[in-house]
Amino acid sequence: MEKLVSLAKRRGFVFQSSEIYGGLGSVWDYGPLGVELKKNLIERWWRSMVHEREDIEGIDSAILMHARVWEASEHVSSFTDPLVDCKQCKNRFRADDESIKGTPGEEDAQCPVCGSKGTLTAPRMFNLMFKTFMGPVEEDASQIYLRPETAQGTYVNFLNVMQSSRQKIPFGIAQVGKAFRNEITPGNFIFLTREFEQMEMQYFVKPGDDEEWFEYWHAERMKWHKELGIDGNKLRYHPHGEGELAHYAKRAEDIQYEFPFGWQELEGVHNRTDFDLSRHQEFSGKKLQYVDTVSKDRFTPYVVETALGVGRLFLVVMADAYREEAVEGESRVVLGLHPSIAPIKAGIFPLVKKDGMPELARSIRDDLRKRFPVFYDEGGSIGRRYRRQDEAGTPFGVTVDGQTTQDQTVTVRDRDTLHQDRVSLDKLAEYLTERL
Ligand code: GAP
């Protein structure tokens, strides 16, 4: 994990937020390579969820919503974690933190940081939503929240989307956007953060069809992760037991990944029943129902949700792709990212800085970058330049050498196999595009 964090910073994938001020706890910024990788992951998800399907529409709802939304969704009353404080060292923990020995609030409880006994307070419930104020007056009436999930913005727009797109049930609404949670014990780099991005899809079905659609989506989502190139041996399902189920869920199953710190949730698939639509119906007074045009049945749809964190997926693809290996007696670090999500698609290198090679290599760069991101590098030995791109996850290296000026061909090196093909310049763009 340390090596991954160090690579992420060194190569411009992820930086700590406000680093020059000492950083802001568990908030992260994405650098030049990180923002490309993140954008590619989102694009791939959006393409498979929205563009390639007839039955799913996209939406982008606002982060700020009417305060009543969060009362209706029960986030105000139930989106809480039990929190304990150490009166001695002032550290805070979740009451269910496994490193706490004894019962918080009792004499036997021991602080996992300073080791004091009897200094942990009894648990009190702590709401994870960030509060802010709308307008100039900071009073209760103007208090609103930063959304802790994108899903509610989708539910309150259920009718708008259905009517404007003329979708019929079953159909889904997909959304990508920021969410905020004031996590008590965030950590493990970008795994659990206070500001994050979600890719969520709410699929509206007829009550009674929900179990079948749950099975469908939980299989689809696993397939999607495997197609992204994530090692299938490091993915598994984790069904939620009674105690684990969120307040809105009838059934939930996580797709877990074996992170360097153990098996943890990557994505959640939830059967949210008609909980959210019914609650918004009750609180807003607006009917959120569907009328079947054939049977004339009127019902409040059930929802099967797929909920994935962008940063969580980012960490999984980085961890899964990271490898160290020896090649021809030299060690190299490789990020074996799937070519479709790699931030840079090809490195362009003149073998030496003379004989017209840099000029030719730059003109190849100018041509290719109209199609996808490429990187020109003439600094250092060719081996070093290859290795710099290997650890950035760049799948191809295009080298202009002495032969190029004579026969208009370049070598294309594959990051993973190290195999080199000689490719004619007029076929180069096509050759690379096919492999991306
Ligand atoms: N709308 C349902 C929902 O939000 P969730 O299981 O709380 O369900 C869904 O979150 C996904 O969002 C998680 O599987 C994870 O990938 C991501 N996620 C949740 N909280 C996060 C946090 N604090 N930091 C990073 N990612 C988070």
Side-chain angles (χ1 to χ4, degrees):
M1 193 65 182
E2 269 164 36
K3 285 181 179 170
L4 199 62
V5 177
S6 145
L7 172 82
K9 175 164 186 199
R10 186 160 38 85
R11 295 311 311 262
F13 282 94
V14 180
F15 308 125
Q16 199 182 6
S17 163
S18 320
E19 191 184 333
I20 59 168
Y21 288 96
L24 182 66
S26 290
V27 184
W28 300 89
D29 298 337
Y30 289 83
L33 293 187
V35 71
E36 293 293 333
L37 174 55
K38 186 152 81 81
K39 194 168 59 68
N40 292 342
L41 290 171
I42 293 172
E43 246 172 51
R44 205 178 148 98
W45 184 87
W46 192 262
R47 198 173 343 110
S48 73
M49 280 294 188
V50 183
H51 293 172
E52 291 176 2
R53 299 187 64 112
E54 291 283 291
D55 58 346
I56 301 185
E57 305 288 341
I59 190 179
D60 180 15
S61 69
I63 288 170
L64 302 178
M65 299 180 75
H66 199 290
R68 292 276 283 164
V69 167
W70 308 108
E71 288 170 33
S73 69
E74 286 194 2
H75 279 84
V76 172
S77 57
S78 305
F79 196 55
T80 50
D81 273 345
L83 169 82
V84 301
D85 287 298
C86 175
K87 287 183 269 187
Q88 181 66 32
C89 68
K90 311 290 181 218
N91 273 296
R92 291 194 152 164
F93 313 91
R94 280 176 58 124
D96 54 5
D97 190 324
E98 283 169 5
S99 57
I100 296 177
K101 292 197 189 94
T103 314
E106 308 278 332
E107 281 307 306
D108 67 330
Q110 189 174 14
C111 172
V113 172
C114 69
S116 307
K117 273 200 162 178
T119 55
L120 293 180
T121 61
R124 62 189 166 87
M125 294 317 272
F126 171 75
N127 194 291
L128 300 185
M129 283 195 294
F130 279 96
K131 298 184 184 84
T132 186
F133 296 94
M134 185 90 132
V137 187
E138 294 196 4
E139 60 186 13
D140 284 355
S142 60
Q143 182 184 290
I144 55 168
Y145 302 93
L146 301 188
R147 68 179 177 196
E149 61 170 6
T150 64
Q152 299 303 326
T154 300
Y155 300 138
V156 300
N157 278 294
F158 164 69
L159 280 186
N160 287 336
V161 175
M162 185 172 69
Q163 287 163 358
S164 58
S165 63
R166 298 170 55 228
Q167 283 284 359
K168 291 195 171 39
I169 271 176
F171 80 96
I173 305 177
Q175 168 149 221
V176 180
K178 290 264 179 160
F180 303 83
R181 296 183 190 176
N182 200 359
E183 303 282 358
I184 300 170
T185 45
N188 278 326
F189 190 33
I190 53 173
F191 175 79
L192 195 68
T193 56
R194 294 195 168 106
E195 174 176 340
F196 57 102
E197 225 162 333
Q198 288 186 312
M199 302 191 276
E200 296 198 303
M201 193 280 299
Q202 316 299 320
Y203 204 73
F204 300 91
V205 305
K206 196 171 172 179
D209 292 350
D210 50 311
E211 290 289 337
E212 199 181 311
W213 279 109
F214 184 93
E215 294 300 331
Y216 171 84
W217 279 111
H218 120 303
E220 274 298 293
R221 295 308 304 147
M222 181 63 98
K223 195 165 110 216
W224 188 86
H225 291 296
K226 288 184 180 166
E227 282 169 3
L228 187 55
I230 298 170
D231 181 355
N233 294 319
K234 293 192 163 190
L235 290 167
R236 71 177 186 193
Y237 290 114
H238 168 75
H240 281 207
E242 277 294 314
E244 275 177 291
L245 281 177
H247 61 275
Y248 51 70
K250 167 178 160 189
R251 185 176 165 200
E253 211 153 304
D254 293 339
I255 294 176
Q256 291 189 331
Y257 178 77
E258 191 177 15
F259 288 89
F261 43 86
W263 286 96
Q264 293 288 343
E265 172 180 351
L266 164 61
E267 171 159 20
V269 182
H270 312 128
N271 182 344
R272 296 181 72 133
T273 67
D274 59 355
F275 175 83
D276 301 274
L277 289 185
S278 297
R279 295 279 298 179
H280 287 305
Q281 203 156 233
E282 185 189 330
F283 276 64
S284 68
K286 179 101 180 158
K287 275 217 169 340
L288 300 177
Q289 291 188 327
Y290 180 78
V291 182
D292 190 310
T293 44
V294 180
S295 67
K296 304 292 177 223
D297 278 354
R298 174 184 285 274
F299 57 86
T300 306
Y302 269 37
V303 171
V304 176
E305 172 189 60
T306 69
L308 172 63
V310 179
R312 194 73 66 90
L313 179 64
F314 187 108
L315 180 58
V316 166
V317 297
M318 292 278 285
D320 208 64
Y322 183 94
R323 60 178 198 267
E324 289 173 13
E325 59 191 22
V327 175
E328 289 152 12
E330 284 199 53
S331 64
R332 68 167 188 162
V333 171
V334 188
L335 265 192
L337 297 170
H338 191 289
S340 70
I341 55 167
I344 301 167
K345 306 302 183 190
I348 316 291
F349 316 115
L351 186 61
V352 288
K353 277 194 272 184
K354 57 180 187 185
D355 301 335
M357 290 182 213
E359 291 76 12
L360 193 49
R362 277 194 221 103
S363 84
I364 294 171
R365 171 201 62 190
D366 293 343
D367 179 39
L368 289 179
R369 74 174 166 200
K370 292 182 195 126
R371 299 163 192 258
F372 39 74
V374 296
F375 185 79
Y376 173 83
D377 190 2
E378 59 177 28
S381 74
I382 190 71
R384 285 191 65 180
R385 283 180 273 164
Y386 283 152
R387 283 194 295 283
R388 281 202 287 263
Q389 289 308 308
D390 288 343
E391 64 169 20
T394 307
F396 300 104
V398 174
T399 305
V400 170
D401 54 21
Q403 200 179 321
T404 312
T405 43
Q406 291 160 21
D407 67 4
Q408 301 290 298
T409 62
V410 286
T411 62
V412 181
R413 168 191 181 263
D414 182 294
R415 172 197 68 202
D416 300 318
T417 62
L418 301 178
H419 176 79
Q420 303 213 4
D421 269 342
R422 196 96 213 159
V423 180
S424 155
L425 274 182
D426 57 354
K427 298 262 166 30
L428 180 61
E430 195 187 321
Y431 174 97
L432 293 172
T433 307
E434 264 173 25
R435 286 157 179 80
L436 294 171

